[in-house]
Amino acid sequence: DEQDVDIDDGTYPATVIDMSYQNIITRYNTHADLYKPTYQISKGIHKGATIVDKGIWRFKSEPTGIKNKSIRGNILYKKMLDIFDIKLEQVEVDGVILKRLPPLSKESIKGKSVLIDVVDDTYKTSYGKSFGKVAILNGVWKRDEQKEESK
């Protein structure tokens, strides 16, 4: 259950066990949400180890109508919504139906089975470069034994 476990790089089946969230204003004055799910590896020699996502950004348009300036925009956020099977919200603005990226909640993703890529993360600290391991959401983990869920 240690975050500092040295997990080998690779793709692992995992379960979402938690998520942290930050509201951030970037240095370019863009408003964004940063989501960091925590995963627990489900199989193999690292079973039970936990690792945090590198972070998935959701850029928000300004109320003034200025669009966010991120080149990739919300492509990765939309991919994450698809992996978690979360539908877009529909809103009506001036008689036109628009689709909107819903915010993510811990409740909507906790317990979901996913595939994650574990990679080295290099970041700068005041002491120089530091290295750690992070997870990057890869896709849906279709379990070998598909359990019938009664709703």
Side-chain angles (χ1 to χ4, degrees), residues 23-131:
N23 188 299
I24 293 173
I25 298 174
T26 68
R27 62 178 166 224
Y28 304 111
N29 208 27
T30 303
H31 292 250
D33 297 325
L34 180 61
Y35 297 97
K36 289 189 171 186
T38 301
Y39 308 103
Q40 185 169 48
I41 294 178
S42 303
K43 282 182 162 180
I45 58 170
H46 298 298
K47 182 177 179 176
T50 59
I51 188 162
V52 175
D53 197 281
K54 183 176 181 117
I56 301 152
W57 293 85
R58 173 179 173 249
F59 294 98
K60 300 184 272 195
S61 296
E62 306 303 308
T64 57
I66 300 168
K67 294 278 184 250
N68 73 66
K69 298 176 187 71
S70 165
I71 295 167
R72 294 184 73 185
N74 287 315
I75 293 168
L76 295 175
Y77 186 76
K78 172 68 170 84
K79 180 184 171 203
M80 178 189 61
L81 291 176
D82 291 344
I83 290 170
F84 288 131
D85 196 27
I86 296 171
K87 304 289 179 240
L88 296 180
E89 293 176 345
Q90 290 196 350
V91 289
E92 190 174 327
V93 179
D94 300 328
V96 179
I97 302 282
L98 301 175
K99 296 198 176 200
R100 186 169 65 187
L101 296 168
L104 199 61
S105 69
K106 190 187 299 186
E107 296 72 36
S108 65
I109 66 170
K110 196 169 178 184
K112 297 248 180 169
S113 298
V114 294
L115 289 173
I116 57 170
D117 294 328
V118 174
V119 295
D120 283 321
D121 187 31
T122 311
Y123 51 94
K124 287 186 181 145
T125 66
S126 49
Y127 306 108
K129 280 193 176 175
S130 188
F131 298 92

Side-chain angles (χ1 to χ4, degrees), residues 4-17:
D4 299 331
V5 169
D6 193 18
I7 301 170
D8 300 319
D9 286 11
T11 302
Y12 297 92
T15 303
V16 179
I17 58 169

